Amino acid sequence: MAVFTEVEFGEADALVQRLGLGPLRELRGIEGGIENTNYFATAESGEFVLTLFERLHAEQLPYYLCLMKHLAGRGLPVPEPVADPAVQPPSGHALTIPANAPCELLLKVAGKPAALVQRLSGRSELAPGTAHCAELGAMLARMHLAARDFPRIQPNLRGLAWWNDTVPVVLPYVGESQAALLRAELAYQNHIAESSAYAALPRGPVHADMFRDNVMFATGEPAGAAPRLTGVFDFYFAGTDAWLFDLAVCLNDWAIDLSTGEHIAERADTLLAAYETVRPLNAAERALLPAMLRAAALRFWISRLWDFHLPREASMLKAHDPAHFERVLRERATHPHAMAQSLEPLPA
């Protein structure tokens, strides 16, 4: 959520007024993140987040925006995009709508594709406990189930095909042992993807980036009250993929020691148990969770290497340290049975 493109106050004001939100009162750039330009926008009618998409093309964006609207319409705490009244949404009831079909939620600001979404309440918890993990696990499962009938289909654009394309690009920037690990893990993940167990994994829309800073919890609760999840945002890595991969991404952030990359069993067990209270894993998922934990670590190691060694200019850009997910991947590969107790067969 860096600022790559400067937006003039007058242009943003004209936009929110055209969308029927009243005059703009404040526009403030958001620091952090590495993909898009983001601003907090305070209008007469409420608080919003204005996003300008720096890497994604207009053809890719309807999937993300319509998924957010779909989930918000199912009562999930997801930021709902504001529709452009001048654009008519697709009509009809096709079982499958192309991912890039026209979308009334896609805007244009400063020459870039953009979206304006409701700003959610709460704050991110960067040092989560088991109670936060329980809230997250249940929410993730509800989100997967709520998106089952989402009609658009778009592959995970940062999935296996992207890993295969990007590893050769980053190899010149890493040491010999890192290069060996990247090659070996990529070969392993290609092998897993060809297996019958992988083909049996349930699939649907996934968030694919549900890190601690993309989830918010209620603030101002009475002392000692259990945390309450109030928002999940930043869906711009979403795609159609295995739900298990989405779960692995969460476990690799929420149940990992950030200083060492080591597995935190109590948090992981709680997150997984909460997920399974809503949607129990099937046999293929239980067998492949260790492999998907490695896959999720590899995905973010590759992307962080790419962003770190091939950065873009931005007024608030802070690239993440790629070494963190190298440590996570090494831990997951060295201790593949770290979650074995959590994965014991469910009682009949």
Side-chain angles (χ1 to χ4, degrees), residues 50 90 103 140 175 194 238 330:
L50 173 64
C103 177
L140 182 67
E194 295 171 355
R330 291 186 185 277

Side-chain angles (χ1 to χ4, degrees), residues 90-318:
S91 59
H93 301 282
L95 293 178
T96 301
I97 299 174
N100 60 353
C103 177
E104 75 279 13
L105 310 174
L106 182 59
L107 312 172
K108 193 170 186 178
V109 176
K112 300 284 181 70
L116 189 72
V117 305
Q118 294 175 336
R119 183 177 177 182
L120 301 174
S121 63
R123 63 176 178 82
S124 296
E125 178 52 70
L126 302 183
T130 54
H132 299 96
C133 291
E135 283 279 292
L136 178 77
M139 175 60 64
L140 182 67
R142 289 198 294 272
M143 188 173 296
H144 288 163
L145 295 179
R148 283 180 300 183
D149 60 345
F150 180 62
R152 295 177 186 245
I153 297 177
Q154 176 169 281
N156 178 358
L157 300 181
R158 290 289 180 93
L160 183 61
W162 185 82
W163 309 346
N164 282 314
D165 289 341
T166 308
V167 164
V169 177
V170 300
L171 281 177
Y173 299 95
V174 303
E176 184 176 338
S177 66
Q178 294 170 313
L181 179 58
L182 282 167
R183 291 190 186 100
E185 189 61 36
L186 186 59
Y188 174 72
Q189 293 300 332
N190 276 288
H191 171 72
I192 290 294
E194 295 171 355
S195 68
S196 58
Y198 184 82
L201 295 178
R203 285 173 166 77
V206 299
H207 184 283
D209 192 34
M210 204 175 292
F211 280 42
R212 306 174 193 193
D213 55 355
N214 286 335
V215 179
M216 294 191 295
F217 294 87
T219 58
E221 297 280 4
R228 179 172 56 86
L229 195 154
T230 57
V232 176
F233 58 99
D234 202 352
F235 278 78
Y236 305 118
F237 285 118
T240 305
D241 206 335
W243 287 336
L244 187 66
F245 179 78
D246 217 13
L247 179 59
V249 169
C250 292
L251 288 165
N252 275 355
D253 183 61
W254 293 76
I256 288 291
D257 184 284
L258 296 183
S259 63
T260 65
E262 293 179 358
H263 174 77
I264 300 176
E266 186 179 18
R267 287 193 214 161
D269 293 349
T270 301
L271 196 160
L272 182 58
Y275 184 95
E276 291 204 272
T277 60
V278 179
R279 190 192 78 83
L281 302 183
N282 69 17
E285 290 175 303
R286 301 177 81 78
L288 283 186
L289 181 54
M292 287 301 99
L293 290 168
R294 290 168 59 172
L298 177 66
R299 176 263 187 263
F300 284 97
W301 186 25
I302 295 170
S303 64
R304 288 191 177 189
L305 284 168
W306 188 40
D307 289 323
F308 187 83
H309 293 292
L310 300 166
R312 296 169 296 152
E313 292 185 4
S315 62
M316 292 178 165
L317 181 58
K318 291 184 179 180

